[in-house]
Amino acid sequence: MAVFEKPVEVLPEATVLFAGDSGDGMQLTGLQFARATALARNDLATLPDFPAEIRAPAGTTYGVSGYQLHFGSVPVRTPGDAVDMLVAMNPAALKVHLPRVRRGGTLLINVNAFDRRGLELARYETNPLEDGSLEGYQVIPVELTRLTHEALADSELDKKEIDRCKNMFALGLVLWLYSRPLKPVEEWLAQKFANRPEIRDANLKVLHKGYHYGETHELFAVRYEVRPARLEPGLYRAIRGVEALALGLIAATHQSGLPLFYGSYPITPASDLLHELSRHKNFGVMTFQAEDEIAAVGAALGASFGGALGVTATSGPGLALKSETIGLAVMTELPLVVIDLQRGGPSTGLPTKTEQSDLLFALYGRHGEAPLPVLAASSPGDCFYAAYEACRIAVRYMTPVILLADGYLANGAEPWRVPDVASLPPFEVKFATEPNFRQNGDVRFLPYRRDPETLARPWARPGTPGLEHRIGGLEKEHETGNVSYDPANHQRMVKLRAEKVARVAREIPPTEVFGDPEGDVLLIGWGSTRGAIEAAVERLQARGLRVGSVHLRYLNPLPPDLPAIFERYHHLVVPELNNGQLVRVLRDAYLRPFVPLNKIQGLPFQAREIEEFVADLMPS
């Protein structure tokens, strides 16, 4: 039978969502589709969404794992508001994610899973493929399970192993449908299963079967093409947030000459950073999996005392467990970087879902007066620059620094332009090598004599001759570092430590305004809300409103030019994935009527949610 070339429809952008059981390999499938899309030079943003249960019952709605990808030839800022195509591997995936699909969108459904048992587990009373509930959608029924087993009928794999390959059939089909290249997936399979050639060959065979199914089957009258995006010239790669964090830390050690020590205790979603850094021992990275959160941060602080760059990371309740040692780092004035990949809380909360609920804890969650700089990353690729800057500030000001990201940033991916290392901010380290006090024959080392510009104390490696000094959690006497209970000295040291953090503001670059530089509404965001906020700004401008946005990397201290920017707008709106934390800080600092927009659902903002809120705020 002759195969005729199907017509190709050019799309500016598209959003695809892969969904199925946790064991169906949806995260892997989505990630490989994202890699192929990146190599096709599209702009993209992703949203991995998976359950917290390690072994959720197969076929149930709370065991559904999904991976959403928005890609285009136009600028892509979010994982997409409405899904154009849902690939549903079972009834539960359809039930959970159908509300995300736009009316008229495509449903590619594995009909083999829609048997009586599958429908019961998803709590469908009738079969949605037969009861008319999917009218208004383009339904493409494909026997993914049967076709996979037929393709591998002669394979040496057992039934369970063959069944695991059906995600490759779905991937091949969707790659064909959106004119994505096969080669990146082929290369990944060859590398991944180099020691299991039978699994490699089976997945490759099914991948090609899925691809050719689209070419030959009459269900598909057209395929789509999303042309390359116009990106700045340079070398690009698809990068996840945890990968960017790891590379940012490595770049900091390269530029500073400091060895990197990473102490960590496994916790979702921060565990992936430990996994990623452990792959880079060739850069001299030392990774230590501790027995608990307290040991992890203690080891990192000890490494800093020894002259290394001490880093630790955690999520959710792990930050609370580290708080006492972070306070010790404030008192001893040693550089320490604490990365918090936020998740839904409190307590165990929503371990695999995203949230921005740790801001107030990062700012104030220590006993006593213990201020420290707090920074936030705004995209997966920005995690690189935020990690580098956190390390630079920690060393320059001899202070612990908290860097906030979240589950969405950690697991999400985007195209990332590989930077020229020479373009990174200078990162000089000066260890004390000789006594810093000489008077009337008295020569000694004063560990708390401060730099006149930064107020940082000197960093002396243990064992440096003549620089022996006391360190610990008891209050220090000004300059000498001796234990002091003097009331006036305590107040002086508290004020000095606070002023040291405040002086970081001198290095904060001018705040950039996205959109209108003055007008009706200013949206003020931080962290992972940036893409949704800026997409909303563009939509609101298209509706004739004068709207701008600023996004804060520095949360303590705040940028000094904010008051002048706030004056230029009639309304100040603060979108956050929490119950209103930054808005409290801003109200306290500037005594202005900031309006909160809060979402606490374990999911990032959609641009339309912000757009509709602002439109409703404006008088008609």
Side-chain angles (χ1 to χ4, degrees), residues 333-590:
E333 301 190 42
L334 286 168
L336 174 70
V337 175
V338 181
I339 300 172
D340 179 20
L341 296 174
Q342 301 163 96
R343 69 190 203 187
S347 188
T348 306
L350 306 173
T352 61
K353 308 299 180 183
T354 199
E355 205 164 274
Q356 292 181 299
S357 54
D358 293 347
L359 174 59
L360 293 180
F361 193 96
L363 292 172
Y364 309 118
R366 292 162 297 283
H367 68 279
E369 297 289 342
L372 49 74
V374 178
L375 281 65
S378 62
S379 73
D382 185 56
C383 286
F384 172 88
Y385 298 99
Y388 183 91
E389 178 69 354
C391 294
R392 190 189 68 84
I393 289 175
V395 171
R396 176 165 167 75
Y397 289 86
M398 290 295 285
T399 178
V401 175
I402 291 180
L403 172 59
L404 297 173
D406 57 41
Y408 167 46
L409 292 185
N411 296 312
E414 67 177 357
W416 179 62
R417 185 184 179 190
V418 179
D420 178 3
V421 176
S423 68
L424 296 174
F427 195 157
E428 297 181 5
V429 179
K430 295 180 180 178
F431 286 104
T433 57
E434 58 184 26
N436 58 1
F437 180 82
R438 291 177 172 84
Q439 185 175 336
N440 299 327
D442 182 11
V443 179
R444 52 189 166 129
F445 176 62
L446 298 178
Y448 283 83
R449 171 166 279 192
R450 300 178 182 277
D451 179 274
E453 179 183 356
T454 64
L455 297 184
R457 77 173 187 88
W459 194 4
R461 289 191 184 101
T464 304
L467 303 191
E468 296 84 0
H469 60 283
R470 180 175 295 177
I471 199 167
L474 292 172
E475 182 61 280
K476 303 293 179 288
E477 184 180 60
H478 176 55
E479 291 197 337
T480 69
N482 295 331
V483 173
S484 174
Y485 292 95
D486 177 65
N489 177 79
H490 176 56
Q491 177 158 322
R492 181 179 191 177
M493 294 297 281
V494 167
K495 295 289 188 180
L496 280 170
R497 289 190 289 263
E499 174 61 21
K500 178 174 67 171
V501 174
R503 290 193 181 189
V504 174
R506 298 177 179 181
E507 299 192 28
I508 297 177
T511 302
E512 295 182 2
V513 177
F514 180 86
D516 290 300
E518 60 182 25
D520 301 314
V521 179
L522 178 69
L523 293 163
I524 306 153
W526 67 279
S528 63
T529 58
R530 182 169 196 157
I533 288 174
E534 293 185 352
V537 167
E538 293 176 330
R539 296 182 187 185
L540 289 161
Q541 287 179 312
R543 296 170 67 158
L545 298 176
R546 294 183 303 154
V547 180
S549 69
V550 294
H551 215 75
L552 306 182
R553 161 162 291 166
Y554 302 87
L555 297 164
N556 189 44
L558 290 164
D561 58 356
L562 290 182
I565 296 173
F566 295 159
E567 289 287 343
R568 304 201 296 261
Y569 297 86
H570 298 299
H571 301 279
L572 305 171
V573 178
V574 186
E576 296 182 83
L577 298 175
N578 56 44
N579 203 30
Q581 298 193 15
L582 178 62
V583 75
R584 288 176 170 85
V585 175
L586 295 177
R587 285 172 177 170
D588 176 67
Y590 304 111

Side-chain angles (χ1 to χ4, degrees), residues 88 94 107-111 114 129 134 139-144:
L94 178 65
L107 306 174
L108 197 160
I109 295 175
N110 178 20
V111 295
F114 282 69
L129 301 178
L134 301 182
V139 179
I140 301 177
V142 180
E143 295 183 279
L144 286 173

Side-chain angles (χ1 to χ4, degrees), residues 45 147 195 216 228 251 288 316 328 416 460 477 539 558 579 602 606 609:
L147 291 169
N195 297 326
T216 59
F288 168 59
L328 177 61
W416 179 62
E477 184 180 60
R539 296 182 187 185
L558 290 164
N579 203 30
Q606 295 181 347
E609 294 171 329

